[in-house]
Amino acid sequence: MAIRFAKRMEALNGSEIRELLKLIEKPEVISFAGGLPAPELFPIEEMKEISRIVLEESGTQALQYSTTEGFQPLREKIARRMNSKNKTNVTKDDILITNGSQQGLDFAGRVFLNEGDIVLCESPSYLGAINAFKSYGSKFIEVPTDKDGMIMEALEKILEVTENVKMIYVIPDFQNPTGITWTLERRKKFIEIISKYEIPVLEDNPYGELRFEGESIPSLKSMDKKGLVIFLGTFSKILCPGYRLGWTCASQNILKKFIFVKQVADLQSSSISQREVSKFIDLYNLDNHVKKINEVYARRRDLMLETMKEEFPEGVEYTYPEGGLFIWVELPKHLDSRIIMKDCLANNVAYVPGGSFFPNGGTENCFRLNYSNMSDDRIVEGIKRIGLILRKYMAVKQNI
């Protein structure tokens, strides 16, 4: 008898980025594909000492089950950082520790989405969120986006005529995949609109502290007066992704639902990981660590952009991110980044084709570059290889 899977499995495919990373694990490949932090910046020696201290001071608790909500001192520290960095006014009771912010995305799907419900998102949007929501049978409406973020007139028109919108998913700071950041004016208008329609909003903020220039802009969560905004944060980009620690911050009526689904999913996040990250914040200066990360990433961003300016042919456009991990590249409409990617892989360089970032498809002339994970010399060499290949494809079109 054939094995019968749940119907929802029909909509699921492996993450294109994860599948791509399997293909480019060879050391000779210059990869701009994954959104990986620079491993040489991980505080390995400090974490060795932290691990020893945690086991000596509280080993039995660190290795035991703990509460679903998470380690209280860590939640207190997260609330303080949010209030300082994101201009919020939250407490530990508004915080749930999750296994990375990706678990928060999955929980949002469980809490809000039924089969056929509609999610609004930026166009393009984060592939991991698209896949998480698809697993619950959702449909997507992409809201047009420009260099200043989601276009509010388009959002309001969609909400005026669309029924069954259950959630809006956005990344206002250094968006994945484009790297753009919403202006303050857009944020204020967005809150005005969602307050009118009372639609829950998922504000994904994995990159907010990775700002290299310009002034920080208050989070959507800080402007929310109705308890509609659910804020997702993570230690993956500002400390180490291997700890798999993130958090969800929401009003009590919503957070209770997230806590319940976490109890069903895994009971709790790692006790020892939470205590180690909390102890790191006690003993070391996390702000200084983030500053060191930002100095390296800013240099690599600048180097990648300078090399793109020299090596990419005329007619190729790209974003200028003030922070985060990504640059978004747009090619002339007739080019397909998936086809070009095959040539790139043959020349041992990789990016992520852009089509998968559009939940409804139809856009293939773009791709995402990551600058955080490659050394300076590999950034220059990799961009030169991509530039040569782009010139070849654009020359072919011009000669037709």
Side-chain angles (χ1 to χ4, degrees):
M1 186 177 73
I3 296 172
R4 294 183 295 173
F5 294 105
K7 184 176 175 58
R8 62 180 170 272
M9 296 306 296
E10 296 174 6
L12 295 184
N13 296 302
S15 164
E16 179 166 337
I17 297 174
R18 295 296 167 191
E19 295 302 314
L20 181 59
L21 291 177
K22 293 178 184 177
L23 297 175
I24 58 180
E25 286 180 342
K26 297 181 294 184
E28 62 267 28
V29 175
I30 299 173
S31 175
F32 304 129
L36 305 179
E40 67 271 23
L41 298 177
F42 296 155
I44 294 173
E45 294 304 315
E46 291 90 339
M47 297 318 300
K48 285 181 183 178
E49 179 65 9
I50 291 294
S51 178
R52 181 190 65 78
I53 293 171
V54 167
L55 288 172
E56 285 185 355
E57 290 183 351
S58 56
T60 55
Q61 296 98 324
L63 299 176
Q64 183 58 280
Y65 289 117
S66 56
T67 62
T68 301
E69 291 84 348
F71 186 48
Q72 179 173 314
L74 180 59
R75 289 159 54 217
E76 290 172 347
K77 294 178 179 72
I78 290 169
R80 286 198 296 270
R81 285 188 70 80
M82 280 191 61
N83 294 340
S84 172
K85 309 292 182 183
N86 307 113
K87 312 306 180 187
T88 54
N89 182 26
V90 300
T91 72
K92 64 176 176 56
D93 295 326
D94 303 309
I95 306 291
L96 168 68
I97 303 296
T98 57
N99 293 322
S101 56
Q102 184 68 30
Q103 189 175 56
L105 295 173
D106 177 62
F107 287 175
R110 295 197 202 191
V111 168
F112 291 109
L113 300 177
N114 295 314
E115 185 86 21
D117 285 345
I118 293 173
V119 176
L120 304 188
C121 65
E122 296 155 292
S123 182
S125 190
Y126 171 49
L127 178 57
I130 294 169
N131 288 339
F133 305 148
K134 274 185 179 179
S135 70
Y136 296 99
S138 67
K139 297 179 180 179
F140 296 85
I141 296 178
E142 300 172 36
V143 183
T145 304
D146 63 17
K147 64 180 180 61
D148 293 326
M150 184 179 278
I151 298 172
M152 294 300 118
E153 294 79 8
L155 172 64
E156 188 144 35
K157 285 180 182 178
I158 291 169
L159 289 172
E160 284 175 355
V161 300
T162 308
E163 296 182 356
N164 210 32
V165 175
K166 295 293 288 293
M167 184 171 67
I168 305 175
Y169 171 72
V170 295
I171 314 171
D173 293 280
F174 317 123
Q175 196 240 20
N176 182 356
T178 64
I180 65 174
T181 295
W182 292 22
T183 62
L184 179 61
E185 292 73 22
R186 291 281 174 95
R187 295 175 194 230
K188 289 179 178 178
K189 183 62 177 177
F190 179 81
I191 292 297
E192 179 185 319
I193 292 170
I194 64 115
S195 297
K196 173 183 175 182
Y197 289 90
E198 297 193 336
I199 304 290
V201 173
L202 207 57
E203 180 182 14
D204 201 0
N205 189 273
Y207 319 107
E209 291 195 46
L210 303 182
R211 175 171 283 280
F212 315 148
E213 60 188 69
E215 295 295 323
S216 294
I217 305 173
S219 63
L220 298 177
K221 181 66 177 172
S222 71
M223 304 176 187
D224 175 28
K225 305 302 182 186
K226 288 193 170 184
L228 296 168
V229 176
I230 303 144
F231 182 101
L232 302 183
T234 181
F235 288 103
S236 292
K237 303 303 188 292
I238 61 172
L239 190 58
C240 313
Y243 277 105
R244 303 311 304 131
L245 287 182
W247 65 90
T248 297
C249 178
S251 57
Q252 285 297 305
N253 61 323
I254 293 175
L255 197 67
K256 286 178 181 177
K257 304 294 187 184
F258 276 69
I259 293 169
F260 176 74
V261 297
K262 184 163 179 66
Q263 289 170 346
V264 173
D266 61 9
L267 300 179
Q268 59 157 103
S269 296
S270 164
S271 301
I272 192 167
S273 293
Q274 293 183 65
R275 287 175 178 268
E276 288 183 1
V277 170
S278 181
K279 184 62 71 172
F280 179 90
I281 297 172
D282 286 339
L283 299 184
Y284 299 97
N285 191 317
L286 183 55
D287 284 342
N288 283 346
H289 181 70
V290 173
K291 182 180 178 182
K292 181 171 69 173
I293 291 172
N294 284 343
E295 288 171 354
V296 173
Y297 291 176
R299 187 185 74 245
R300 291 178 178 177
R301 176 208 60 180
D302 291 345
L303 182 60
M304 180 172 280
L305 287 169
E306 289 166 7
T307 311
M308 290 167 67
K309 184 177 180 180
E310 294 172 2
E311 303 293 336
F312 280 15
E314 187 176 346
V316 176
E317 298 182 355
Y318 43 87
T319 56
Y320 181 94
E322 293 185 340
L325 302 180
F326 306 111
I327 296 170
W328 183 246
V329 181
E330 292 191 12
L331 307 173
K333 296 288 186 183
H334 67 276
L335 294 179
D336 187 327
S337 68
R338 293 181 192 271
I339 294 173
I340 297 171
M341 179 63 173
K342 295 177 182 178
D343 262 8
C344 288
L345 285 174
N347 286 272
N348 288 326
V349 64
Y351 56 70
V352 180
S356 294
F357 296 101
F358 297 88
N360 297 317
T363 305
E364 300 294 347
N365 65 311
C366 44
F367 59 89
R368 190 191 75 180
L369 294 169
N370 164 262
Y371 46 77
S372 61
N373 189 240
M374 288 290 106
S375 61
D376 292 9
D377 59 330
R378 286 167 73 82
I379 287 173
V380 172
E381 178 59 28
I383 294 299
K384 284 183 177 180
R385 293 181 193 180
I386 295 174
L388 282 172
I389 293 166
L390 291 179
R391 289 179 186 279
K392 180 185 76 171
Y393 276 87
M394 294 183 74
V396 167
K397 179 65 177 180
Q398 290 168 359
N399 291 333
I400 293 176

